Amino acid sequence: MDASDLEHRARTRSGCIPPELVSRLLELGHAKEVEREAGRGEWFCALEWARVLGGQDRRVEALAVLDPYVATGWWTAAAATAGLLEEWGRGEEAVALARTHLASARSYAETGGGSALASFARLLARNGLADEAFELLEPHIDDWTLAHALIDVAQGAGRDEEAAGLLAARIPVGHECDSLWCCSGLEPHLAVGLLATVHERQGRVEEAVALLSTRQFTSLNGRDQLADLFARHDRIDELRAYADTEPLGYATQRLAELLEERGDVDGAISVYRQAGEASVRRGNTAVELARLLARHDRYDDAIEVMRALADAPGGAEDWIVDVLCTLYADHGRPQDALSWLDDLKARRGKEEWELFWIRLPLMAACGRVDEAVELTRAHPEGSTSYAAEHVATLLAHAGRTEDAVIVLERYAPANASTLAGCLIDLGRVTDALALLQHTHPPPSAVPTTPLWLDEPPF
């Protein structure tokens, strides 16, 4: 085995048995095959088989399964093994293994980059070595990943105040970045978010609020930090006022979530309805409202919300239509969804694939699987590999897995994972594994970069 090859296959999920199919093999009683492939360089088989053995208290055997992968110098294998050791209450061994691996790595790339150093630091902190973790990360605070890890370990080390000082030094007074590339190192707006986290943890909530209020946007990855802070401290009036001004709608969503959690469903509905047209993310707000209504069995109201959006000029985007049709189907009304799609097609004069595929499971729900298959074949994109995957899914869900295999085999290896899953379901495990595996070498490795540290503590 080779670390670069293992990394490439694990990252791309190509030339290997992916984790979801390893789980399927085990569920269907093919443990022997998983065990065999674990010894043949199939990382996801090895990882899952080691977990199985560990769950049976066969821990020596579990570690033996992973040893050859760790011996390649691949960080992912070392981290996974350390994770198992930690789960078993052997934290000191976990730390020693990860430390040894990082010390012996010849390059930054071999360790998986900053994420490896961050995970090692968190491992140290979880096992009584938070001070060492803090010292390890402090020189790299200008790296976002490592700065975030530093904040995570600071509390256990009793060094929140020190972490706050490091972050405050990276927030220029009166400066606002006008682009993502404005400042070198840790960008001030990211430092503000991390510093607010520390202040809140210290009980300095007012300072955290004031700090976040200096940022034009406090949203990241679909959440708003200031809105979440208000919600955690039950400051509902301030959250409501903030939702009125926050343009992306994340504060509105958090306010509605908080009201729903408190049992005020009508209040949550009202929040979404009031946001309405004012939200930059109008479609997202409508979808959240519809899902809220559906959660409380108000499907007719949910469908009405999505119909109004989808019927508006330019509103029938594929993701909007998908939500609408899913609501119809969940409410036991697939035929109504099909009728709506027919009307939309008539208005447009055509039906692009992005909307066409949505009708297929609806037809299947109406018992029209064969008609759906024929309709797909007649579509301008019906001969593509992605169309074949949709057809195969319909057939497999209808219990016609052999027919699904016939459809997919015409396009192999484009749909290798889906086809292999069908073959496994039919008991044709050997054929499935042969389809998934290959021996092509991975792309050339990226030029290596020196590790940050080549001195102790490693």
Side-chain angles (χ1 to χ4, degrees), residues 21-288:
L21 292 187
V22 175
S23 297
R24 190 179 300 186
L25 285 167
L26 289 172
E27 288 167 6
L28 295 177
H30 300 293
K32 286 294 183 184
E33 286 79 359
V34 172
E35 180 183 11
R36 183 182 65 245
E37 296 302 326
R40 294 181 174 180
E42 285 290 343
W43 165 245
F44 295 114
C45 286
L47 181 58
E48 196 58 38
W49 187 240
R51 288 171 176 161
V52 169
L53 292 172
Q56 298 172 351
D57 286 331
R58 298 163 61 186
R59 295 173 177 176
V60 173
E61 294 171 72
L63 294 177
V65 170
L66 297 179
D67 279 345
Y69 297 86
V70 176
T72 67
W74 187 35
W75 167 256
T76 298
T81 305
L84 286 179
L85 288 167
E86 190 178 18
E87 285 178 23
W88 301 338
R90 296 160 61 176
E92 289 185 8
E93 292 177 65
V95 169
L97 175 66
R99 191 192 302 277
T100 299
H101 182 83
L102 287 175
S104 63
R106 296 184 301 276
S107 72
Y108 171 70
E110 283 186 2
T111 66
S115 61
L117 204 59
S119 67
F120 177 61
R122 291 187 174 101
L123 175 66
L124 290 172
R126 289 195 302 271
N127 289 277
L129 299 169
D131 267 316
E132 181 184 345
F134 190 95
E135 298 291 343
L136 174 66
L137 294 171
E138 183 178 0
H140 314 298
I141 193 170
D142 284 327
D143 181 292
W144 160 249
T145 299
L146 299 177
H148 200 284
L150 178 72
I151 300 313
D152 288 346
V153 306
Q155 184 176 29
R159 300 173 73 168
D160 270 346
E161 196 60 38
E162 195 173 341
L166 292 169
L167 292 167
R170 283 153 178 81
I171 306 173
V173 177
H175 174 76
E176 286 191 14
C177 290
D178 56 9
S179 76
L180 292 176
W181 303 274
C182 176
C183 297
S184 59
L186 183 64
E187 298 165 12
H189 75 283
L190 297 176
V192 165
L194 291 175
L195 181 54
T197 297
V198 175
H199 282 338
E200 183 186 4
R201 200 161 65 197
Q202 293 174 305
R204 297 157 62 180
V205 178
E206 296 302 333
E207 291 179 61
V209 170
L211 191 62
L212 290 172
S213 297
T214 66
R215 280 174 51 175
Q216 185 177 5
F217 297 106
T218 58
S219 299
L220 182 67
N221 296 330
R223 303 300 300 182
D224 187 279
Q225 187 176 357
L226 181 55
D228 286 339
L229 186 152
F230 284 141
R232 280 193 296 273
H233 295 275
D234 203 29
R235 296 168 67 153
I236 194 165
D237 291 337
E238 290 165 279
L239 176 55
R240 193 181 298 276
Y242 179 51
D244 288 339
T245 61
E246 192 271 307
L248 298 178
Y250 295 124
T252 294
Q253 180 180 339
R254 189 65 191 95
L255 174 59
E257 290 171 349
L258 180 60
L259 291 170
E260 185 183 9
E261 290 164 10
R262 294 168 57 165
D264 186 4
V265 176
D266 288 337
I269 292 169
S270 178
V271 165
Y272 280 130
R273 291 196 186 280
Q274 289 173 9
E277 299 287 338
S279 175
V280 172
R281 299 167 61 253
R282 178 190 170 206
N284 299 75
T285 300
V287 167
E288 292 299 332

